[in-house]
Amino acid sequence: MVWMVNQQVGRGRSRTWGVALLCWLFIMLVTPKIPLSYRNHLYADMRNFVGVPNTLNVITNFPFLIVGVLGFVLCLGGGSFFNIRLPGEMWGWLLFYGGTASVAFGSAYYHLRPDDNRVLLDTLPMTIAYSSLFSTFILERLGERIGLSCLFSLVVLAVLSTSYARTFNDLRLCMIFQLIPCIAIPIMTFLFPPKYTHSRYWLWTVGVFILAKMEALADMKIYRANNYIISGHSLEHLCSAIAPVLVTVMLMHRSCRFPRKSYCFLLLGSGSHDRLGEIKECP
């Protein structure tokens, strides 16, 4: 019976990966190539303060460092600060906060002198953070085994997609990595029951990500609207940094919705006849 259940679960996972592969192939076939160009590196606000090029686009990455390092340290504290019950969750959250802290260095380095060579250091930490966050969400909703397999697979694909963008001058894979969690997390939130409370924070996090991308697209319009004080791209950095703050608050306040208890069944036997004697909660 157990073998049949495992076989059905394995088939379900294979179908899931097969559907995901077909969707990826479909997107790559129907969407045009998105090449890197000098226009990708031209931002509305390129002012120089105190000798730092593109000053606001550089210093607005600092919140990523604060939140990333703080979250990483709190994760190492385990149950003292965050409600993390599964070892697989710990790996996912550590990678997420590590990627978030790395965004601060990669993005600041890129914005000091934006070009095709430095943009990978901006993109790679971001895709790793997206991948680990999405994998952790899958682990929470669908189980530890599938979550860990997604974590490993998506991180590898994040590295490959970044390499693909530089090698073939095509940004589509990187954009897909940023788009998929924003679509899949809200859908899966309503399809699969949460293990923890405060699951609404996942939706708020996705909302913040979408708002940040809209600010980036309206870079110059926002810059003009506020009389050239701060650009949309700088606001994107600040808004994106709110997302790890939200998940940090979620981890600190959430609790298990359905506490799982295991029980030991003691068989009291006499001769060839056994009977169920006592039920105790296992330590």
Side-chain angles (χ1 to χ4, degrees), residues 7 33 43 54 112 133 143-144 155 174 177 187 203-204 221 255 266 273 276 283:
Q7 192 176 34
K33 183 179 180 180
Y43 299 97
N54 307 309
L112 286 171
L133 183 66
E144 187 174 13
V155 169
C174 293
F177 260 95
I187 294 175
L203 298 178
W204 292 350
K221 293 181 180 179
S255 59
L266 303 181
H273 299 285
L276 184 62

Side-chain angles (χ1 to χ4, degrees), residues 35 50 56-57 74 123 130 137 212 220-221 241 248 260-261 268:
V50 295
L56 289 184
N57 286 340
L74 292 179
T123 306
Y130 276 119
F137 176 80
M220 180 58 76
K221 293 181 180 179
T248 302
R260 296 179 180 178
K261 293 183 179 180
L268 304 179

Side-chain angles (χ1 to χ4, degrees), residues 23 38 45-47 91 97 101 130 139 159-160 179 203 224 272:
C23 291
Y38 74 94
D45 185 5
M46 303 187 74
R47 291 174 295 177
W91 286 110
Y97 284 113
Y130 276 119
L139 187 148
V159 176
L160 293 177
L179 178 64
L203 298 178
R224 289 172 179 168
S272 60

Side-chain angles (χ1 to χ4, degrees), residues 30-42:
V30 301
T31 56
K33 183 179 180 180
I34 305 175
L36 284 165
S37 69
Y38 74 94
R39 294 180 180 178
N40 297 108
H41 312 304
L42 295 178

Side-chain angles (χ1 to χ4, degrees), residues 6 87 99 172 177:
N6 291 334
R172 281 181 296 176
F177 260 95

Side-chain angles (χ1 to χ4, degrees), residues 12-221:
R13 289 174 183 163
S14 300
R15 291 173 183 174
T16 301
W17 285 110
V19 171
L21 179 60
L22 290 175
C23 291
W24 173 78
L25 290 174
F26 176 77
I27 292 174
M28 293 297 290
L29 288 174
V30 301
T31 56
K33 183 179 180 180
I34 305 175
L36 284 165
S37 69
Y38 74 94
R39 294 180 180 178
N40 297 108
H41 312 304
L42 295 178
Y43 299 97
D45 185 5
M46 303 187 74
R47 291 174 295 177
N48 185 327
F49 298 114
V50 295
V52 179
N54 307 309
T55 307
L56 289 184
N57 286 340
V58 172
I59 64 175
T60 49
N61 288 289
F62 187 64
F64 289 109
L65 179 62
I66 298 176
V67 180
V69 172
L70 180 62
F72 192 88
V73 172
L74 292 179
C75 267
L76 293 178
S80 301
F81 301 99
F82 291 160
N83 193 342
I84 300 176
R85 297 300 181 92
L86 300 175
E89 283 186 291
M90 179 66 72
W91 286 110
W93 287 118
L94 284 173
L95 193 57
F96 169 70
Y97 284 113
T100 300
S102 300
V103 168
F105 295 103
S107 183
Y109 179 73
Y110 161 70
H111 283 290
L112 286 171
R113 196 183 68 201
D115 58 26
D116 290 352
N117 294 321
R118 294 191 175 204
V119 71
L120 297 182
L121 297 176
D122 181 25
T123 306
L124 182 58
M126 192 183 308
T127 54
I128 289 177
Y130 276 119
S131 302
S132 55
L133 183 66
F134 185 42
S135 301
T136 307
F137 176 80
I138 293 175
L139 187 148
E140 177 192 325
R141 299 297 171 118
L142 301 181
E144 187 174 13
R145 182 175 296 180
I146 188 172
L148 286 176
S149 64
C150 286
L151 178 63
F152 175 77
S153 303
L154 291 178
V155 169
V156 171
L157 288 175
V159 176
L160 293 177
S161 67
T162 307
S163 302
Y164 172 86
R166 189 67 184 94
T167 304
F168 297 98
N169 193 29
D170 187 0
L171 293 172
R172 281 181 296 176
L173 283 181
C174 293
M175 291 186 174
I176 290 173
F177 260 95
Q178 298 180 26
L179 178 64
I180 287 178
C182 294
I183 297 175
I185 288 179
I187 294 175
M188 294 176 65
T189 297
F190 294 102
L191 290 180
F192 301 99
K195 177 182 176 182
Y196 300 100
T197 60
H198 295 77
S199 60
R200 62 184 180 276
Y201 279 85
W202 285 107
L203 298 178
W204 292 350
T205 302
V206 171
V208 166
F209 276 132
I210 295 174
L211 178 60
K213 294 307 174 185
M214 293 173 64
E215 290 172 338
L217 292 174
D219 188 17
M220 180 58 76
K221 293 181 180 179

